[in-house]
Amino acid sequence: MEKKLYDLTINEALEHVMPPLRDDELELLTQELVKEGCRDSLVVWNGVIVDGHNRYRICHEYGIPFSYVEQTFLKEEDAKLWIIRNQIGRRNVPAFVRCEMVLPLEGALKAEAKKRQGQRNDLKNFSPNWAESRKQDTRDELARIADVSHGTIDRARKICREADEATKEQLRNGKVSIYGAYST
């Protein structure tokens, strides 16, 4: 694809799946783009940026041409999951931030599991623990995506609901562990 200044759409829900770059990280990215140009293509889904929000803004600010590749997703949740998997592999992301990124996917994962289950008439024959095992499957999937244990995802969920913002910020910066914050 030809490099030029394309006009693309920013979807805030997709942009905010990942935490923003720190000021020093953004400055380093800006310096790199100004010096070397935009080497990596942005990833776009139907004209909406999926990966490369920071590069897009910097390129437009400094007039740096860029290219993009089109990715196909069925729905926004699929794009979010792709972002998480792509960025976790790219950045050194603290465990709490990974958990914060995947926890909003819980509802979508449960809905997908329910859809796969289909209509069943024989559920009355299952033990009461059956429903709990379905809940654990979703929890385990969230933990797998975030690359943490299921106990860690449970603790992070509680911290997200109950902790004050100062504690969450310490977790995001890696100054305290999830277990440490949960235990206090």
Side-chain angles (χ1 to χ4, degrees):
M1 168 170 282
E2 176 188 358
K3 285 189 175 186
K4 65 180 192 175
L5 288 174
Y6 295 94
D7 287 321
L8 301 172
T9 303
I10 294 176
N11 173 324
E12 287 192 22
L14 295 177
E15 180 179 21
H16 296 299
V17 168
M18 287 298 296
L21 292 176
R22 295 186 320 264
D23 290 341
D24 61 322
E25 293 171 323
L26 191 57
E27 181 58 32
L28 284 172
L29 179 60
T30 301
Q31 289 172 10
E32 178 184 311
L33 288 171
V34 168
K35 181 180 177 185
E36 299 179 23
C38 189
R39 295 182 316 237
D40 298 323
S41 297
L42 280 63
V43 177
V44 175
W45 170 45
N46 297 327
V48 177
I49 299 170
V50 175
D51 180 59
H53 295 89
N54 293 307
R55 286 178 283 144
Y56 179 77
R57 285 194 173 96
I58 294 167
C59 286
H60 271 271
E61 182 178 345
Y62 290 91
I64 302 167
F66 60 90
S67 61
Y68 70 86
V69 295
E70 188 74 32
Q71 184 74 293
T72 303
F73 302 103
L74 294 177
K75 56 190 176 301
E76 189 173 291
E77 285 78 19
D78 295 337
K80 288 178 181 179
L81 188 57
W82 183 90
I83 292 167
I84 292 167
R85 288 183 171 139
N86 184 55
Q87 290 295 324
I88 284 176
R90 186 186 287 177
R91 289 195 202 175
N92 183 15
V93 181
F96 182 71
V97 174
R98 293 193 311 266
C99 292
E100 278 187 307
M101 290 175 358
V102 302
L103 283 170
L105 299 175
E106 187 169 21
L109 289 174
K110 284 181 180 177
E112 286 295 319
K114 188 171 187 156
K115 230 191 309 188
R116 283 191 309 269
Q117 175 187 344
Q119 298 295 325
R120 306 221 14 204
N121 296 331
D122 59 343
L123 294 181
K124 62 183 176 240
N125 297 327
F126 284 92
S127 72
N129 295 331
W130 184 84
E132 184 62 28
S133 72
R134 300 299 91 189
K135 180 179 171 186
Q136 288 175 351
D137 288 348
T138 299
R139 177 193 65 183
D140 290 345
E141 178 67 7
L142 289 170
R144 187 187 63 72
I145 295 167
D147 195 25
V148 298
S149 71
H150 63 267
T152 298
I153 202 83
D154 287 341
R155 287 187 282 277
R157 181 184 296 107
K158 184 171 180 166
I159 290 168
C160 286
R161 279 194 318 258
E162 299 176 9
D164 58 54
E165 195 55 39
T167 300
K168 291 177 188 176
E169 199 55 40
Q170 286 184 320
L171 285 156
R172 291 178 190 125
N173 292 324
K175 293 180 179 172
V176 65
S177 69
I178 292 172
Y179 185 78
Y182 181 82
S183 299
T184 57

